[in-house]
Amino acid sequence: MQRRRGLAAFAPALAVLLALAARGADASVHEYSGGGTFAPRANSFFFHGGSEGLYASDPSSNSSASFIRFDSVTFRRTKESAARHEEMQQNTGLVEAIIVEIQDRSKIGGSYLHSDAICCTPELDKEKSCKVGEVIIQPHPDNPDWPKRIQTFFNGRDEEANMVTQVVSINRTGMYYLYFMFCDPQLKGLKITGRTVWRNPQGYLPGKMAPMMTFYGFMSLAYLVLGLLWFLQFVRCWKDILQLHYHITAVIALGMCEMAFWYFEYANFNSTGNRPMAITLWAVTFTAVKKTISRLLLLVVSMGYGVVRPTLGGVTSKVGALGVVYFIASEGLELVENLGNINDFSGKTRLFLVLPVAILDATFIIWIFSSLSRTLEKLQLRRSMAKLELYRKFTNSLALSVLISIAWIGYELYFNATDPLSELWQRAWIIPAFWNLLSYALLAIICILWSPSRNPTGFAYSEDTADEADEEGLSLVGSAVKGTGDIVNMHVFPEDKLKYRFRLDSRLAFTSEACV
């Protein structure tokens, strides 16, 4: 009942996330279909039209142009605002589109005129520093046309004004912001509809995302190489395959599919400017499934599944429940991040999406290390030195990855705190790429430590029957030789063989002396 209630609690959230997925998000095509409203700031009103990292156009190729295109942008003012003007009156309202590279943000507003105003005032107009009703812009010394200003006027009592369709070429690499602004308080309540299309020289992928397409291509090849090596070893030792090997194979296959889907998703996005909904949904789902299965694999390995214990026993349901809850939370977060825009949500909503995944990750870490501690204790008590060494290597690798993860989280927090305006957008791709590399490295370590072998019993579960066999061997020397020899053959580790041979030789010597 409690599990059903837990799943029922997730149902409304999942419904909202699926609605976002159905709506979609075009990162290089900024839609203003919701009738966006303008927010007041100083003596101006503004609407944020989008921001992206754009590379400079390639002058040697017309097809490698970088631009921002305005498509069917329409401004609609209130009837009360339109009624204040005469029918034949010209220029009864002004809206400006301002494109500014982030390093030139200080050139917007009257700071260089020692004024806090953003729009030109009558006093500044008298000094011929600007025109009343316009946004104050200080021209760039090397390019007087930048920051870019595009003006659209209302005429007479018209309630709508259509922006002329035009293309603004980008000739300098940088993070560009687009704002629609007006200074006339009578235009309060203005709405905007339409869209803008942003393109880089190599395609429609935003500057932050462009390097990830190449990265996903390399990661697809890396998983393919790992999969081939694992498959060859799998086939070579197919008669001695353990259940754990099938789990590792599933994670490798999911990793290959995940990276391949993301690469094709980015490639399609880059060529069309729109995210292919079907491929994106598949990529998001494979990511959530792979993250869930990977964590479950680490957990069951840490519990000693197939090594210390033949089954998970009573904790199977708990492990399964944790996996289901983690998949739902991870799938929801991935949907919003890739099919919506998480930056548009409030802090509480963002916390609602991120916090469950963080708590579940912490739960996995605590459970994994506590299970590892118990597994190491059992192996020490049984004096299985080779298996103990195997698990020590695994524990050290896992502990090192956790320490690296904590350090990287600290760097990520520092990066985001010191770069609120995305001035370092060309390096931002490294942050998500790191987590994929770390996941791949952990999977490769598990593949090395638990590689298929012709003698799988070396790390497979086996009953501790050595002492019982030795006791039976005391009654009859011949039986002892046969029984102990069987036990030796069951274990492939050299130190185990030496241990039993030492016991056998000692008991044979004791029996000989007794007979004499």
Side-chain angles (χ1 to χ4, degrees), residues 10-23:
F10 272 100
L14 191 59
V16 173
L17 297 172
L18 291 175
L20 287 170
R23 183 195 66 182

Side-chain angles (χ1 to χ4, degrees), residues 415-430:
F415 184 90
N416 292 328
T418 56
D419 187 36
L421 299 176
S422 301
E423 295 181 74
L424 303 176
W425 58 276
Q426 290 175 288
R427 286 189 285 169
W429 69 275
I430 299 175

Side-chain angles (χ1 to χ4, degrees), residues 41 48-54 68 70 97-109 135-140 145-150 168-170 172-181 198 421 423 425:
R41 183 169 183 180
H48 182 214
S51 59
E52 282 186 23
L54 296 174
I68 302 174
F70 296 84
I98 310 293
I99 304 174
V100 57
E101 204 276 321
I102 194 59
Q103 294 183 354
D104 297 332
R105 60 186 179 276
S106 61
K107 299 183 182 299
I108 304 296
V135 176
I136 302 172
I137 296 179
Q138 180 187 7
H140 194 282
D145 292 334
W146 284 87
K148 190 73 174 178
R149 183 205 308 264
I150 304 173
V168 178
S169 298
I170 304 298
R172 186 176 68 160
T173 299
M175 172 60 69
Y176 286 85
Y177 280 73
L178 168 63
Y179 293 100
F180 295 97
M181 306 181 70
W198 306 54
L421 299 176
E423 295 181 74
W425 58 276

Side-chain angles (χ1 to χ4, degrees), residues 189-206:
L190 186 74
K191 303 285 186 180
I192 179 174
T193 58
R195 70 173 191 169
T196 53
V197 179
W198 306 54
R199 191 185 190 279
N200 269 295
Q202 303 304 322
Y204 289 97
L205 269 178

Side-chain angles (χ1 to χ4, degrees), residues 48-219:
H48 182 214
S51 59
E52 282 186 23
L54 296 174
Y55 292 93
S57 301
D58 185 359
S60 62
S61 175
N62 293 330
S63 60
S64 299
S66 182
F67 60 78
I68 302 174
R69 186 176 71 238
F70 296 84
D71 287 346
S72 306
V73 177
T74 301
F75 305 103
R76 184 176 182 84
R77 60 183 174 180
T78 62
K79 293 181 179 181
E80 294 78 9
S81 176
R84 293 190 178 101
H85 305 281
E86 298 297 330
E87 188 67 38
M88 301 303 294
Q89 190 176 354
Q90 298 294 317
N91 300 341
T92 57
L94 170 63
V95 183
E96 297 179 292
I98 310 293
I99 304 174
V100 57
E101 204 276 321
I102 194 59
Q103 294 183 354
D104 297 332
R105 60 186 179 276
S106 61
K107 299 183 182 299
I108 304 296
S111 59
Y112 79 103
L113 300 174
H114 308 289
S115 172
D116 294 331
I118 295 178
C119 293
C120 188
T121 62
E123 293 77 12
L124 294 174
D125 182 53
K126 290 179 181 179
E127 299 174 3
K128 297 183 179 180
S129 301
C130 55
K131 295 182 180 179
V132 173
E134 294 183 357
V135 176
I136 302 172
I137 296 179
Q138 180 187 7
H140 194 282
D142 299 329
N143 190 352
D145 292 334
W146 284 87
K148 190 73 174 178
R149 183 205 308 264
I150 304 173
Q151 297 182 330
T152 302
F153 290 93
F154 285 92
N155 290 315
R157 293 185 175 180
D158 293 344
E159 295 182 15
E160 289 188 357
N162 297 317
M163 189 175 181
V164 177
T165 300
Q166 56 184 294
V167 176
V168 178
S169 298
I170 304 298
N171 299 315
R172 186 176 68 160
T173 299
M175 172 60 69
Y176 286 85
Y177 280 73
L178 168 63
Y179 293 100
F180 295 97
M181 306 181 70
F182 65 86
C183 301
D184 187 357
Q186 293 183 355
L187 290 176
K188 191 173 181 179
L190 186 74
K191 303 285 186 180
I192 179 174
T193 58
R195 70 173 191 169
T196 53
V197 179
W198 306 54
R199 191 185 190 279
N200 269 295
Q202 303 304 322
Y204 289 97
L205 269 178
K208 282 184 177 182
M209 300 171 66
M212 290 300 293
M213 184 174 72
T214 305
F215 173 77
Y216 285 133
F218 279 115
M219 287 303 298

